[in-house]
Amino acid sequence: MGAKKHFSCRKCHFDGKKHVSAAANSPFGLQFGAFADTIGVIGAFDLSSARTRTIGSERSAMNMAQNPTFVITMADGREMKGELYPETAPQSVGNFIALANSGFYDGLTFHRIVDGFMAQGGDGSDSAKASEAQPIYGEFASNGFSQNTLSHQRGVVSMARTNDPNSASSQFFICYGDASFLDGKYAAFGKVVEGMETVDDFCKVERVYNSMGELAMPKEPLRIAKAEVVL
């Protein structure tokens, strides 16, 4: 089945690119149980019953003494580093860890750069990696998940999705400034704490119009060389 358009825009929240985790897609190969013992995760979303279930080992990510840290290295060698907050969005964090440390994001791009709003990346729907991601439960208030109180402010990392609240999978976005109108509607799960200037400089690249009429698609790919998480 075809992928839906992907959300995380200013007011309508659309994205013109296809999304690897769109609800219309078939189930994906990466199962939460396969990495639960590695990252101590979390609650996996039970798509058949539309509820969460808890899986994983005794080492719950929610009880980590120190927040996991991520490093995204771009093809030009520049980096951004940040923290993940499993106590805020445990499944989103677990999903990101699994994908990053499996090499999923390596070679993918930031495909949508909107000045003053956000930089969006991690779309593997047009690659051989599409089957490595699966939809996850949307950890935000309007979807019945009240513990996520992380506001969409500068540097905050959040899951992009379609209009289906449980469609987020691999795509994420990094906020350039106050995007608090997304609070309670999208699953914020981390924050860039070093190298935000790398993300800022995405706005300097030449861009062309995407299918939504936004001047947001880099003419030359902003490619991720390596993404990894340290637990």
Side-chain angles (χ1 to χ4, degrees), residues 172-193:
F172 61 92
F173 60 95
I174 303 171
C175 299
Y176 281 123
D178 182 357
S180 55
F181 60 89
L182 299 179
D183 293 355
K185 302 173 185 176
Y186 289 82
F189 66 94
K191 185 176 183 179
V192 175
V193 297

Side-chain angles (χ1 to χ4, degrees), residues 106-177:
D106 302 354
L108 299 184
T109 67
F110 283 89
H111 64 271
R112 182 171 175 238
I113 312 300
V114 181
D115 290 345
F117 179 36
M118 57 92 225
Q120 182 171 333
D123 179 13
S125 61
D126 293 328
S127 75
K129 300 181 177 185
S131 63
E132 298 177 27
Q134 67 177 16
I136 61 174
Y137 173 62
E139 296 172 308
F140 44 87
S142 66
N143 199 38
F145 190 84
S146 60
Q147 76 186 58
N148 190 340
T149 58
L150 181 60
S151 182
H152 290 77
Q153 301 297 323
R154 177 171 169 79
V156 165
V157 185
S158 187
M159 295 300 296
R161 62 174 178 84
T162 71
N163 58 349
D164 179 345
N166 301 312
S167 61
S169 175
S170 66
Q171 291 193 50
F172 61 92
F173 60 95
I174 303 171
C175 299
Y176 281 123

